[in-house]
């Protein structure tokens, strides 16, 4: 049992407080990135902008944005939340992870999978798979 308590103590050090200044700054960055991502992916899916996809700076920028969303998805497993029934702060990492898995994890996971790259060789118009990234839209609320 002592080993388990030590493991939990390590996991609790990963806890991200709701009122943390770093979390607030990261949330603002993610809000801006989300707006760009939603409108950009809708635009790229609607119109063929393949010339832009060949530019190195665009590929790098797009990959950095995808990395930010992946980091955000990983951080969601450690972020405190307020329980909707008791209105108390939940700080237990296991409960936080279970809550996230039951909530928006599947949408975040589907938005992070690079379907456009996976289906590029054998699906007609793989750019339409970028529309899966629109699952990030609830983040704006």
């Amino acid at each position: 049992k002592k080993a388990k308590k030590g493991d939990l103590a390590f996991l609790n050090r990963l806890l991200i407080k709701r009122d943390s200044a770093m979390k607030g700054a990261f949330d603002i960055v993610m809000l801006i990135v989300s707006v760009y991502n939603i409108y950009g992916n809708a635009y790229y899916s609607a119109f063929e902008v393949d010339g832009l996809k060949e530019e190195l700076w665009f590929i790098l920028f797009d990959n950095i944005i995808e990395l930010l969303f992946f980091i955000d998805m990983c951080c969601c497993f450690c972020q405190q939340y307020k329980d909707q029934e008791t209105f108390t702060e939940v700080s237990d990492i296991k409960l936080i992870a279970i809550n996230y898995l039951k909530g928006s994890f599947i949408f975040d996971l589907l938005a992070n999978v690079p379907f456009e790259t996976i289906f590029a060789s054998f699906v007609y118009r793989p750019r339409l798979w970028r529309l899966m990234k629109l699952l990030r839209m609830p983040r704006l609320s």
Side-chain angles (χ1 to χ4, degrees):
K1 288 186 178 182
K2 289 183 181 180
K4 286 185 179 181
K5 286 183 180 180
D7 292 342
L8 290 177
F10 168 73
L11 288 176
N12 285 333
R13 282 189 241 150
L14 296 175
L15 182 68
I16 300 170
K17 303 279 186 183
R18 281 185 55 187
D19 56 354
S20 168
M22 287 294 284
K23 181 187 178 313
F26 188 71
D27 285 346
I28 291 171
V29 168
M30 291 307 295
L31 181 66
I32 294 167
V33 168
S34 294
V35 169
Y36 164 78
N37 193 262
I38 288 168
Y39 287 111
N41 282 314
Y43 179 79
Y44 301 136
S45 296
F47 306 104
E48 293 193 35
V49 211
D50 293 330
L52 189 58
K53 285 294 285 181
E54 296 170 6
E55 303 259 346
L56 181 62
W57 66 268
F58 177 78
I59 294 169
L60 182 63
F61 184 69
D62 202 32
N63 287 334
I64 289 171
I65 287 177
E66 292 303 317
L67 178 66
L68 283 172
F69 278 109
F70 179 75
I71 290 169
D72 182 58
M73 186 179 78
C74 293
C75 288
C76 284
F77 283 103
C78 303
Q79 289 181 7
Q80 258 185 349
Y81 71 95
K82 187 177 273 192
D83 187 16
Q84 295 297 322
E85 293 177 9
T86 61
F87 300 106
T88 59
E89 298 289 329
V90 178
S91 299
D92 183 14
I93 294 289
K94 287 183 180 180
L95 294 176
I96 293 170
I98 290 170
N99 182 58
Y100 180 55
L101 287 170
K102 287 181 179 178
S104 63
F105 172 73
I106 190 70
F107 300 111
D108 290 345
L109 182 65
L110 287 173
N112 278 315
V113 174
F115 288 113
E116 181 184 4
T117 306
I118 293 169
F119 296 135
S121 60
F122 57 90
V123 173
Y124 178 67
R125 294 190 181 198
R127 63 188 165 84
L128 292 177
W129 283 98
R130 287 183 76 100
L131 291 175
M132 291 294 284
K133 307 243 183 262
L134 294 178
L135 290 170
R136 295 177 175 149
M137 199 174 295
R139 166 178 293 287
L140 294 177
S141 64

